[in-house]
Amino acid sequence: RPARDPGFRRLFTSAATDVRIRMARGSSAVLLVALCIFAYAIVPDLQTGRALMQVNGHRALYNSATIALATSSLCAVLLGMAGFYLISNTVRRDIETRTGFVIASTPVRNAEYLGGKMLGSISFLSLVVAVYMLNVMAMQLLRGEAPVDPLTYLAMFAAVIGPAVIVVSALALMFECVRPLSGRIGDIGYFFLWAMLLGVPASTSDASGPAAGSRFD
């Protein structure tokens, strides 16, 4: 059975170990606290006169669809940059701690090692997104105008942020494995790549199209 395949076992063990190491770091605790603060700030209190989303000058109702769409879209943009730097040191850490020498002495294949690192990065970023989503749902309980619908949040976050998590994890691993892109040069180069990709939708949008005057439904 595939579940008993030693290759799959080594892959999932590598991914689980990578996630546990990341969660044990002090920076992860700081990140989780920052997510709580960010969720509190991104969903403003309506009594302040500010709103999370406005369409054609009208405020959108604070229900699960509105809050999930707005918060997941912003999270996907920020995760495209911050997520890369959160997970970009996964291979470098094995070299610095000499864990890589231990792994090299085991039957782990290159594909299994890279697959475990990829899966570990996806799992860690997914955990970060899940904590952020739970905090946003808590803010809807505090400031919302409709009951919380967890399925709406799961569907919206999976559709909007899921692809970003996979792409960022793949790019981070590729940048570490390709020698010209590893290190400080790759870190700086990725920022410009992210900025360029961020501007593509704005440069290709048609302001005179039918969506320009559409209202939020």
Side-chain angles (χ1 to χ4, degrees):
R1 297 179 182 179
R4 296 182 179 178
D5 189 339
F8 281 97
R9 190 183 309 114
R10 289 192 292 265
L11 188 148
F12 288 117
T13 300
S14 175
T17 302
D18 195 63
V19 172
R20 285 196 296 267
I21 292 175
R22 292 184 183 278
M23 292 305 300
R25 298 168 61 183
S27 58
S28 297
V30 175
L31 175 63
L32 296 181
V33 174
L35 290 175
C36 297
I37 299 174
F38 183 65
Y40 179 84
I42 197 178
V43 184
D45 191 345
L46 294 176
Q47 295 181 357
T48 62
R50 297 181 295 118
L52 177 63
M53 177 182 290
Q54 294 186 14
V55 180
N56 292 333
H58 298 278
R59 177 181 66 82
L61 182 69
Y62 267 17
N63 56 18
S64 295
T66 298
I67 297 178
L69 174 62
T71 55
S72 63
S73 300
L74 181 58
C75 180
V77 173
L78 297 178
L79 190 70
M81 180 184 67
F84 176 87
Y85 298 104
L86 284 174
I87 61 176
S88 61
N89 62 342
T90 179
V91 177
R92 189 185 314 151
R93 184 181 61 247
D94 287 347
I95 297 176
E96 294 175 350
T97 60
R98 304 184 69 86
T99 306
F101 294 96
V102 177
I103 297 176
S105 64
T106 65
V108 177
R109 300 183 179 90
N110 290 339
E112 295 169 355
Y113 176 77
L114 295 177
K117 291 298 181 182
M118 175 75 174
L119 184 59
S121 297
I122 292 175
S123 301
F124 178 73
L125 290 182
S126 298
L127 181 60
V128 170
V129 172
V131 172
Y132 168 71
M133 183 182 69
L134 291 175
N135 280 279
V136 171
M137 293 171 65
M139 292 310 303
Q140 182 180 348
L141 289 174
L142 181 63
R143 298 174 174 174
E145 301 173 288
V148 176
D149 185 359
L151 293 180
T152 299
Y153 276 94
L154 289 174
M156 190 71 70
F157 272 70
V160 176
I161 306 181
V165 168
I166 296 175
V167 171
V168 170
S169 300
L171 287 176
L173 186 60
M174 184 196 74
F175 270 59
E176 277 204 282
C177 294
V178 177
R179 186 175 295 275
L181 299 177
S182 61
R184 296 293 179 85
I185 296 178
D187 292 343
I188 298 174
Y190 180 81
F191 174 79
F192 289 101
L193 174 64
W194 172 80
M196 181 185 67
L197 294 177
L198 191 63
V200 170
S203 62
T204 57
S205 63
D206 184 7
S208 61
S214 61
R215 300 172 63 88
F216 180 83
D217 186 354

